Amino acid sequence: MTDYSKIDYSPLLALTEGEVVTRSLVSDVRLASGRTIALITLHNGKDHTRPNTLGPATLTELGERLDELAQRAAAGEIDAVAVTGKPYIFAAGADLSNVGDLPSKDIARLIAQLGHHVLGKLSHLGVPSFSFVNGLALGGAVEIALNSTYRTVDSSAAAIALPEVFLGLVPGWGGVTLLPNLIGIENALEVIISNPLKQNRTLKPQQAYELGMFDAIFSPTSFLEDSLRWADGVLAGTIKVERKNAPGKIERLTKWPIAVKVARNMLESRIGTVPRSPYMALDLIDKAKSGTVEEGFAREDEALAELISGDQFVASMYAFDLVQKRAKRPVGAPDKGLAKKVTKVGVIGAGLMASQFALLFVRRLQVPVLITDIDQARVDKGLSYIRDEIAALEAKGRIDADTANRLRALVRGTVDKSEYADCDFVIEAVFEETGVKQQVFREIEQIIAPDAILATNTSSLSVEEIGSVLAHPERLVGFHFFNPVAVMPLIEIVKTPQSSDEALSTAFVVAKNLRKNAVLTADAPGFVVNRLLAKVMGEAARAVDEGTPLLTVEKAFAPLGLPMTPFQLIDLVGWKVAAHVQDTMVRHFPERFFASENLHRLAEVGDVVEKDKSGKVTGWTKQAQKVLDTGKSPASEEEILRRVEDGLASEIRLMLDEGVVPEVEDIDLCLILGAGWPFIDGGASAYLDRSGASERAAGGTFHTPPLRGAAHRG
């Protein structure tokens, strides 16, 4: 058993320069019964916009206070200890700002050991400990509560979560050992693994309470007073804490291993086997069913040390920083003060994509939205879709009846384009052909105000060419959504040489109001995401054309850790769309992109691939096999992967040289937000640096030094 009190933590503490220390402020509270509870308030001296975090210096101070309180408890001066946070914030978890720069695995291990050393004191004070979770509690903050004897939660807390797996880590201060033994195996798997992998889903306080993570829940109006009164009752024995999943009630022999096996199968089908943290978390949870808490903590120490010093965590922190910081301050966006106020939106088209646009605009902007199409039947179909979706949102409780009625009233459909005269922002969602888009814009420009902004949702066509027929091409921007529109967080905003700052500023403000992240790109074929996906899909199609079996091609891409295999992705976006994008890229860059006649043949087939229940591609359909024309020179998995890696590295270097985006960080941000590229890759660039492709195909790494964990530096 590890004696955490005898470990020298000074090498870790020497690296804490710049840490915003969260102080442990102690005050004695006299309870109604006459008992005394020592209340620790975590407070970093900042307001709620800068949450408390738990860095090494913070943990050290908390440990010192807990030692002092243990002495006071032994002397009979206090009857209990409680921990709470500053207004609205318990704590936002560990301070990870410098963790990726730790010099060695041994120092990385000290982070886990220091957390266990300090938080473990909460269960060895000689008196009961309480956590009064009064606000946001993430990661290590939840583990403070788990290490306490009893827990209460404020019903208005912003979020409760153990997000570590999302960042390439595991909850390493007791989380994977204590939680399954508190709330049961299925619930623990949901909180520790499933939720982080669902776009970092968090729990509402009521959900966390119902799962059994907390013993009591109180309203914010008198949360601390109610928690203290409740604690007094617990200490007096007048309140009995009943836990439905108390250790003695948790079934371990059958249910536990079955749940772990199901979770492992789910992970393999959903994310493949490349990400390390979900599987390490699963193994730790599995082992938590037996043995001592101390043995569990020792396993957490080793897992956290290995992950912190590995490449996937460093890449994940780079990706997380892009999404949390760079995405919120788009590079190249003009002053938002230049944006035109949008009081009415026009959507040209009433098909599925146009209807999704209209629904998003009306929900987020809550302004009148107008849709049109070539005949009333299509308009009515679009309106019906929008109204059905609003009804579904109401049925799920996402919006109330008043909001639903207001949204329905704000959407109109028409075949009379004169009604677009007072629209401030008009976006087209018509057929992906330059001539068609030019025709609708030429017509609408005669109707709308001279300062109205026009936007095209083209995925790969030249925005400048589309706008060449306009009297005022400066008002046109590319505004490229990704499908499904409501879910995907990226919009590529495309700037032509003519685009005005007012048009661009309006586009960025509209994107933000739609709660999307926008990245500015130059008007280059495929912009960012589709250009690079075309590279991936092209190499998959090339391998098939050469005679490579379908499943060999699919497996070749596994090391990239992408959310979908190439043919899963093509099947989702549509075979005709994929063929069109490939043709567009080949037309512009015939020497670098591959267009397959097989893609066009398959586009004429109804069902192209067979899939299992999880959506995994298992083979070609009989109809597809009849139209495929393949060679007799199959490529190996290794050869296909190398082509993809080198092709991506080469293309990214060219895109940077061409100024498609200012920096490689913008390319990675686009891939993460627009194509679901995994955090553990760090977008694409960090992965390509690690694989050697950057040096092989692009003449050098994209990051200097490459983004590597301590275990692989040097």
Side-chain angles (χ1 to χ4, degrees):
M1 189 176 80
T2 306
D3 187 344
Y4 292 115
S5 66
K6 293 186 176 172
I7 294 173
D8 178 13
Y9 297 105
S10 59
L12 178 62
L13 295 171
L15 302 172
T16 61
E17 184 180 351
E19 178 185 341
V20 177
V21 179
T22 297
R23 309 244 83 105
S24 295
L25 310 174
V26 181
S27 59
D28 286 358
V29 179
R30 190 83 166 168
L31 301 173
S33 65
R35 292 178 176 82
T36 298
I37 190 165
L39 181 65
I40 300 173
T41 301
L42 302 174
H43 205 310
N44 62 3
K46 313 287 184 182
D47 67 16
H48 67 279
T49 61
R50 183 67 185 267
N52 297 329
T53 50
L54 308 171
T58 295
L59 287 172
T60 301
E61 179 172 319
L62 176 59
E64 290 168 354
R65 296 295 84 77
L66 290 172
D67 287 341
E68 293 164 5
L69 294 175
Q71 291 176 359
R72 292 184 64 200
E77 296 176 15
I78 57 174
D79 300 284
V81 173
V83 184
T84 193
K86 67 182 184 180
Y88 311 110
I89 304 287
F90 190 65
D95 181 352
L96 298 175
S97 52
N98 299 311
V99 172
D101 299 326
L102 293 178
S104 70
K105 183 177 178 179
D106 287 340
I107 292 181
R109 185 182 293 105
L110 290 177
I111 291 180
Q113 292 173 329
L114 180 59
H116 282 131
H117 175 50
V118 173
L119 272 54
K121 294 175 189 288
L122 287 162
S123 56
H124 296 94
L125 292 169
V127 292
S129 57
F130 295 81
S131 278
F132 301 152
V133 177
N134 65 307
L136 177 78
L138 304 176
V142 173
E143 289 170 303
I144 288 176
L146 291 174
N147 278 277
S148 301
T149 320
Y150 303 103
R151 294 158 288 279
T152 70
V153 66
D154 186 320
S155 62
S156 70
I160 310 292
L162 289 168
E164 286 84 354
V165 163
F166 177 74
L167 296 171
L169 297 176
V170 296
W173 292 346
V176 287
T177 300
L178 299 173
L179 190 64
N181 287 298
L182 176 68
I183 65 173
I185 181 66
E186 293 99 339
N187 291 340
L189 289 168
E190 177 187 341
V191 176
I192 295 172
I193 298 177
S194 298
N195 283 352
L197 294 178
K198 292 174 182 172
Q199 298 297 313
N200 208 12
R201 179 183 291 178
T202 61
L203 296 169
K204 292 182 170 63
Q206 184 66 34
Q207 293 172 307
Y209 170 67
E210 289 171 1
L211 286 174
M213 292 175 69
F214 295 92
D215 300 311
I217 184 168
F218 300 115
S219 74
T221 50
S222 54
F223 172 73
L224 184 57
E225 294 87 341
D226 288 344
S227 292
L228 288 165
R229 191 179 305 111
W230 181 84
D232 199 11
V234 171
L235 294 171
T238 58
I239 293 176
K240 300 292 184 188
V241 177
E242 295 289 338
R243 292 175 182 156
K244 60 183 177 183
N245 288 316
K249 299 178 183 177
I250 293 176
E251 201 286 308
R252 298 165 190 277
L253 291 178
T254 306
K255 186 185 287 188
W256 201 295
I258 289 174
V260 169
K261 184 178 180 181
V262 169
R264 192 177 302 279
N265 291 338
M266 179 273 293
L267 286 175
E268 288 177 0
S269 66
R270 274 194 56 210
I271 63 170
T273 57
V274 175
R276 301 188 65 204
S277 63
Y279 290 99
M280 291 185 80
L282 186 60
D283 288 340
L284 291 168
I285 293 169
D286 185 20
K287 290 171 182 170
K289 73 176 178 291
S290 58
T292 66
V293 166
E294 289 76 17
E295 288 168 343
F297 286 3
R299 289 191 293 265
E300 290 180 5
D301 291 338
E302 293 310 307
L304 207 56
E306 193 171 330
L307 290 170
I308 288 174
S309 59
D311 291 336
Q312 290 189 357
F313 170 63
V314 175
S316 293
M317 287 308 297
Y318 162 74
F320 185 70
D321 198 55
L322 292 181
V323 171
Q324 291 298 309
K325 295 177 182 175
R326 194 176 186 93
K328 291 174 172 53
R329 294 188 290 275
V331 177
D335 184 343
K336 62 184 179 184
L338 297 173
K340 178 177 172 58
K341 186 173 174 59
V342 174
T343 60
K344 184 178 179 182
V345 172
V347 180
I348 304 175
L352 180 58
M353 187 65 96
S355 299
Q356 289 183 69
F357 291 172
L359 179 65
L360 182 67
F361 277 104
V362 77
R363 278 194 72 197
R364 299 293 186 227
L365 304 189
Q366 303 218 354
V367 300
V369 175
L370 191 63
I371 65 170
T372 190
D373 216 309
I374 55 175
D375 58 54
Q376 191 63 45
R378 295 183 193 217
V379 171
D380 290 343
K381 186 177 179 182
L383 288 173
S384 178
Y385 168 86
I386 295 163
R387 288 165 183 157
D388 287 347
E389 289 296 305
I390 292 171
L393 290 167
E394 183 183 358
K396 292 175 187 172
R398 302 273 295 277
I399 56 176
D400 59 28
D402 287 345
T403 302
N405 288 333
R406 187 168 69 253
L407 295 181
R408 277 189 283 264
L410 284 170
V411 182
R412 273 186 40 71
T414 182
V415 291
D416 179 7
K417 294 191 180 65
S418 67
E419 291 191 39
Y420 281 73
D422 57 347
C423 288
D424 309 295
F425 187 91
V426 179
I427 183 169
E428 64 76 20
V430 299
F431 188 67
E432 185 75 349
E433 189 176 284
T434 301
V436 175
K437 294 180 187 294
Q438 287 177 330
Q439 180 183 338
V440 298
F441 276 140
R442 190 189 288 115
E443 183 179 359
I444 213 75
E445 190 182 28
Q446 308 301 314
I447 298 165
I448 58 175
D451 60 345
I453 307 302
L454 294 173
T456 172
N457 182 54
T458 181
S459 58
S460 58
L461 301 174
S462 166
V463 178
E464 183 177 17
E465 187 179 353
I466 291 169
S468 64
V469 299
L470 295 174
H472 295 285
E474 70 279 359
R475 66 163 79 185
L476 177 66
V477 295
F479 203 73
H480 180 218
F481 284 92
F482 292 82
N483 210 8
V485 170
V487 176
M488 298 302 288
L490 179 69
I491 294 176
E492 290 175 328
I493 293 181
V494 184
K495 176 183 181 180
T496 74
Q498 292 79 32
S499 298
S500 69
D501 282 349
E502 181 189 36
L504 289 168
S505 177
T506 304
F508 274 100
V509 170
V510 167
K512 184 177 182 182
N513 291 339
L514 293 174
R515 301 181 200 170
K516 300 292 186 184
N517 298 117
V519 175
L520 184 67
T521 88
D523 186 21
F527 315 128
V528 174
V529 176
N530 280 343
R531 180 163 170 175
L532 294 174
L533 287 184
K535 201 75 188 163
V536 171
M537 292 190 289
E539 290 305 331
R542 187 198 304 272
V544 167
D545 283 13
E546 291 170 340
T548 313
L550 173 61
L551 295 186
T552 301
V553 180
E554 295 282 88
K555 287 176 188 170
F557 287 78
L560 287 167
L562 299 178
M564 289 187 181
T565 59
F567 291 106
Q568 264 184 308
L569 178 62
I570 292 174
D571 204 54
L572 175 70
V573 302
W575 294 82
K576 287 186 178 179
V577 172
H580 172 76
V581 170
Q582 294 301 133
D583 289 347
T584 300
M585 298 312 299
V586 169
R587 189 166 66 251
H588 289 281
F589 307 121
E591 72 287 357
R592 299 204 309 275
F593 283 81
F594 184 80
S596 165
E597 281 304 312
N598 275 320
L599 271 184
H600 287 278
R601 294 188 189 99
L602 293 169
E604 300 306 316
V605 172
D607 291 325
V608 179
V609 290
E610 294 177 339
K611 298 178 186 176
D612 62 18
K613 287 187 291 186
S614 67
K616 195 174 179 181
V617 172
T618 57
W620 299 114
T621 62
K622 289 180 179 177
Q623 303 98 297
Q625 290 175 31
K626 288 177 184 175
V627 301
L628 278 169
D629 182 12
T630 59
K632 293 183 169 53
S633 304
S636 67
E637 290 178 28
E638 295 74 20
E639 187 179 354
I640 296 167
L641 180 63
R642 188 178 176 107
R643 283 185 205 164
V644 173
E645 290 174 345
D646 290 3
L648 285 170
S650 174
E651 203 60 33
I652 289 171
R653 173 59 62 204
L654 287 165
M655 290 165 74
L656 294 172
D657 291 345
E658 294 166 10
V660 175
V661 290
E663 296 175 294
V664 74
E665 286 82 356
D666 299 299
I667 289 175
D668 289 327
L669 185 58
C670 284
L671 289 173
I672 291 164
L673 296 178
W677 220 271
F679 269 42
I680 59 166
D681 279 358
S685 66
Y687 169 87
L688 295 169
D689 284 353
R690 292 197 305 271
S691 72
S694 303
E695 293 199 33
R696 288 196 305 265
T701 58
F702 293 110
H703 300 275
T704 307
L707 301 176
R708 303 300 303 261
H712 301 110
R713 290 193 203 120

